[in-house]
């Protein structure tokens, strides 16, 4: 499964366990009640594109 900004943080972790360390790096709660990655990033004041790029880098390296 190719995860994106519209997928929840939980989906990212379930599909790609290595994503958890990226969320920890950015201070994103991985138990965000199913909210989309984009929503969670914007609520935290983090650029979603930066997080997505890091996630894809880490997931691609696995």
């Amino acid at each position: 499964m190719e995860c994106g900004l519209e997928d929840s943080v939980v989906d990212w972790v379930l599909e790609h366990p290595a994503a958890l360390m990226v969320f920890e790096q950015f201070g994103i709660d991985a138990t965000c009640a199913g909210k989309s990655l984009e929503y969670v990033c914007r609520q935290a004041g983090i650029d979603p594109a930066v997080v997505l790029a890091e996630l894809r880098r880490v997931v691609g390296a696995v």
Side-chain angles (χ1 to χ4, degrees):
M1 175 177 149
E2 178 67 30
C3 292
L5 289 174
E6 68 283 350
D7 295 296
S8 74
V9 172
V10 173
D11 286 342
W12 269 96
V13 173
L14 289 174
E15 192 65 31
H16 307 285
L20 185 57
M21 70 178 178
V22 175
F23 295 133
E24 289 172 351
Q25 172 187 339
F26 284 97
I28 294 172
D29 181 8
T31 62
C32 67
K35 295 179 178 138
S36 74
L37 175 60
E38 182 171 22
Y39 179 85
V40 171
C41 288
R42 293 201 186 282
Q43 289 298 306
I46 304 167
D47 183 350
V50 171
V51 177
L52 183 61
E54 183 65 10
L55 283 165
R56 291 196 169 144
R57 185 188 71 75
V58 169
V59 168
V62 174

